[in-house]
Amino acid sequence: QVQLVESGGGLVQAGGSLRLSCAVSGRTFSTYSMGWFRQAPGKEREFVAAISRSGTSTTYIDSVKGRFNISRDNAKNTVYLQMNSLKPEDTAVYYCTATINSPKTDWAMYNYWGQGTQVTVSS
């Protein structure tokens, strides 16, 4: 079984930065493409970013392009989401997820999920 544990969420002012981390255990980390999703109150879960097994390919939702960066360290079994220039509309619970497929934007294509970490951006 694969376990994902997110950390790094918190409260930050608009324009600030946060770095989310997701530690993965249980299986060979490098066999999974990884993704980040988020869900704000009253809204559907939304794709944020994804990264390929090797880390050479990434994809982002348009609203975070140029502000967020997804990366991974296969030696540390960890995926990161660096979030800069944060906006109040980025406020959500952020989830780390893993898939045996290539990187996907559809949450249904992911096999494993973390418990989520809250990110709150104040105006």
Side-chain angles (χ1 to χ4, degrees):
Q1 191 62 272
V2 178
Q3 295 182 327
L4 293 77
V5 179
E6 302 100 332
S7 61
L11 173 64
V12 64
Q13 289 188 334
S17 298
L18 282 174
R19 188 194 197 201
L20 304 183
S21 299
C22 174
V24 181
S25 61
R27 294 288 295 272
T28 305
F29 177 65
S30 61
T31 63
Y32 292 96
S33 299
M34 300 298 297
W36 288 94
F37 284 72
R38 66 187 180 187
Q39 188 165 19
K43 295 188 177 181
E44 294 186 353
R45 190 166 297 190
E46 175 183 56
F47 169 79
V48 176
I51 189 166
S52 62
R53 297 175 187 86
S54 64
T56 57
S57 176
T58 59
T59 186
Y60 299 90
I61 191 173
D62 285 347
S63 61
V64 308
K65 285 181 180 177
R67 300 189 298 122
F68 289 14
N69 183 67
I70 187 171
S71 62
R72 65 190 295 162
D73 186 336
N74 286 351
K76 294 183 178 180
N77 289 4
T78 303
V79 62
Y80 306 97
L81 185 67
Q82 178 67 44
M83 305 185 295
N84 300 323
S85 301
L86 282 161
K87 304 176 181 180
E89 51 263 42
D90 294 318
T91 295
V93 176
Y94 283 71
Y95 296 92
C96 173
T97 184
T99 178
I100 59 174
N101 302 298
S102 58
K104 304 294 183 184
T105 61
D106 181 356
W107 67 267
M109 299 301 294
Y110 285 82
N111 307 100
Y112 303 99
W113 292 82
Q115 81 288 352
T117 186
Q118 177 70 47
V119 171
T120 302
V121 184
S122 63
S123 57

